[in-house]
Amino acid sequence: MQPYLFFILLSFAQDGASCAGRLNEVFRQHCRRETTRPVGIQTQRDFESLQNRKGDKTMFSIIVPIYNTEKYLKRCLDSILNQTCPEFELILVDDGSTDDSPAICNSYAQRDSRITVIHKENKGLVSARNTGLRMAKGDYICYVDSDDYIDLTLLEVMQKYIISANAPDILIFNAIRQYPDRQLPIPCRIETGFYDKERLEREIYPYMIIDKTLPYLGERLYPVAWNKVYKSALLKAHYCRDERITLAEDNAFVYECVYCAESAYFCRESLYYYNRCEEDSMSLRYNEDFLEQLSLVCQYMKQHLGCRSAILAEQLNGFTANTLMNAVLSEMEHYPQKKEAVQHIRRKISGSILLKECRLKSLPLKPKIFLFMLKMRCYRLVWHLAKLNAA
């Protein structure tokens, strides 16, 4: 091997876990909601009837999209229904589950008038969330994934900050990863407190999607839907409208909501428990459409955010670079042998519109080298670089 290639490879051996870690995060969110054959869809008349039966507005609407999570669903619902702030509506959207989840939803709804259950055809997470969003009557809306659970004081704490911070457009709190034998806090890279528009523009937006000071184009704002409470008007104006998206769904609207918010409050409390108890089995599943699905997300974000500012356009270019690197790692995880992996990288990535559109000039050195090798079709070298990065 030429000496200069050795030093390039060596540079990628550092900070390797972060990119692979984000890939597993994305995989985990997608795999627990894979689609299956549809089960009885609710009629439009029934849906309109449910909307008409809803009473006056409440402060909070909680939307729980559900697909085959019978193992964890009761824990999730109990954590919501036992909130110390009892005034809220709970909207359960059964997205065509084939296990006992629909029966659990119906049983809970019979015992608690705050619950509305919608049974619909399986169309994915974005469709389920949007169905619940159309039903929501609260001033503020939050999402809870049905295999996760929340702290019993979540709504009470949010109510306190809404009152004391003059009703910010969005509130963001900390979360904990829940493993079978331990709990780990999810690192927060943003200072707690109130942010008006000027402070958001100065301290959040330039680093929101891509923070170049972090290894491998890491984000400063954790782009998940479930550790945030949104003002209803904000979310209903900027929700994800492309229901074809089934991977990295949260990215499609979370950044847009934060960017369009006039104010935000970042809370210090950890109030959400993110279930990682079945992480190993989920991370082993291979998604043949990984790059295609992430391409949908990239294109959606460019359409809705890229035109808003030059800073966001540059960050979205970094997001595209990250997507391409994750796609390479995806093929390598599924095809550990170099020859087979290289063949799949060549077949899937070489003609990608994302690779053609990705600009190298503004990228940090390591991603720039990686993407340059992809553009030059040096797939064997790309394999070695990614192998060192994932080690």
Side-chain angles (χ1 to χ4, degrees), residues 115-360:
I115 300 176
T116 297
V117 180
I118 303 170
H119 299 288
K120 62 182 290 294
E121 181 182 10
N122 176 256
K123 291 186 177 180
L125 175 61
V126 176
S127 172
R129 283 177 173 167
N130 290 349
T131 299
L133 185 61
R134 288 192 292 270
M135 287 287 301
K137 303 294 185 181
D139 296 315
Y140 284 85
I141 298 171
C142 62
Y143 294 116
V144 179
D145 286 353
S146 58
D147 54 350
D148 300 335
Y149 64 102
I150 60 177
D151 189 277
L152 298 182
T153 65
L154 188 151
L155 296 184
E156 180 182 354
V157 173
M158 292 300 100
Q159 187 178 54
K160 177 185 71 174
Y161 287 127
I162 288 170
I163 295 172
S164 64
N166 196 26
D169 283 348
I170 188 169
L171 299 97
I172 302 172
F173 45 88
N174 293 326
I176 293 172
R177 289 189 179 95
Q178 177 69 61
Y179 294 93
D181 57 348
R182 68 195 188 282
Q183 294 179 339
L184 294 177
I186 297 176
C188 179
R189 302 187 179 102
I190 298 177
E191 183 181 349
T192 60
F194 178 77
Y195 288 70
D196 60 12
K197 193 65 174 180
E198 182 180 349
R199 189 180 180 191
L200 286 170
E201 291 174 343
R202 184 176 66 251
E203 299 181 25
I204 303 298
Y205 298 159
Y207 318 100
M208 179 172 65
I209 304 173
I210 294 295
D211 184 352
K212 292 182 181 179
T213 67
L214 299 174
Y216 265 88
L217 302 174
E219 71 281 338
R220 183 171 293 191
L221 178 71
Y222 195 36
V224 294
W226 38 254
N227 75 330
K228 300 169 181 69
V229 174
Y230 313 82
K231 189 172 282 188
S232 176
L234 175 71
L235 184 57
K236 290 183 177 181
H238 302 288
Y239 67 94
C240 178
R241 289 164 169 78
D242 191 345
E243 297 187 355
R244 298 174 301 162
I245 296 174
T246 60
L247 190 61
E249 305 95 338
D250 296 2
N251 292 269
F253 75 95
V254 165
Y255 290 127
E256 184 179 345
C257 282
V258 174
Y259 187 80
C260 293
E262 291 298 319
S263 59
Y265 196 95
F266 288 84
C267 314
R268 65 179 180 276
E269 292 87 350
S270 295
L271 301 170
Y272 193 98
Y273 294 86
Y274 177 34
N275 182 7
R276 304 306 302 272
C277 292
E278 298 185 24
E279 176 187 29
D280 293 338
S281 62
M282 290 177 179
S283 63
L284 293 176
R285 299 181 187 177
Y286 174 66
N287 181 3
E288 183 72 26
D289 300 323
F290 182 79
L291 182 59
E292 180 182 344
Q293 275 297 315
L294 286 184
S295 295
L296 283 177
V297 176
C298 289
Q299 294 302 323
Y300 185 93
M301 292 172 66
K302 287 179 181 179
Q303 291 172 8
H304 289 260
L305 274 178
C307 60
R308 295 179 183 271
S309 76
I311 291 177
L312 285 181
E314 181 178 337
Q315 290 188 62
L316 287 172
N317 184 64
F319 185 86
T320 299
N322 238 352
T323 296
L324 290 163
M325 291 189 290
N326 282 341
V328 170
L329 290 177
S330 170
E331 298 304 318
M332 290 180 58
E333 285 192 352
H334 191 66
Y335 301 103
Q337 299 301 317
K338 179 170 71 173
K339 182 178 180 180
E340 196 172 11
V342 167
Q343 289 175 347
H344 281 268
I345 292 171
R346 179 186 293 113
R347 178 172 63 87
K348 290 192 173 183
I349 299 176
S350 61
S352 169
I353 186 66
L354 295 184
L355 184 60
K356 294 177 182 178
E357 292 180 351
C358 189
R359 304 181 307 277
L360 303 183

Side-chain angles (χ1 to χ4, degrees), residues 32 65-74 97 99 101 104 146-147:
R32 65 181 176 185
I66 299 162
Y67 179 71
N68 287 355
T69 53
E70 61 179 4
K71 182 177 179 180
Y72 302 106
L73 183 54
K74 290 182 179 179
S97 297
D99 64 358
S101 297
I104 294 173
S146 58
D147 54 350

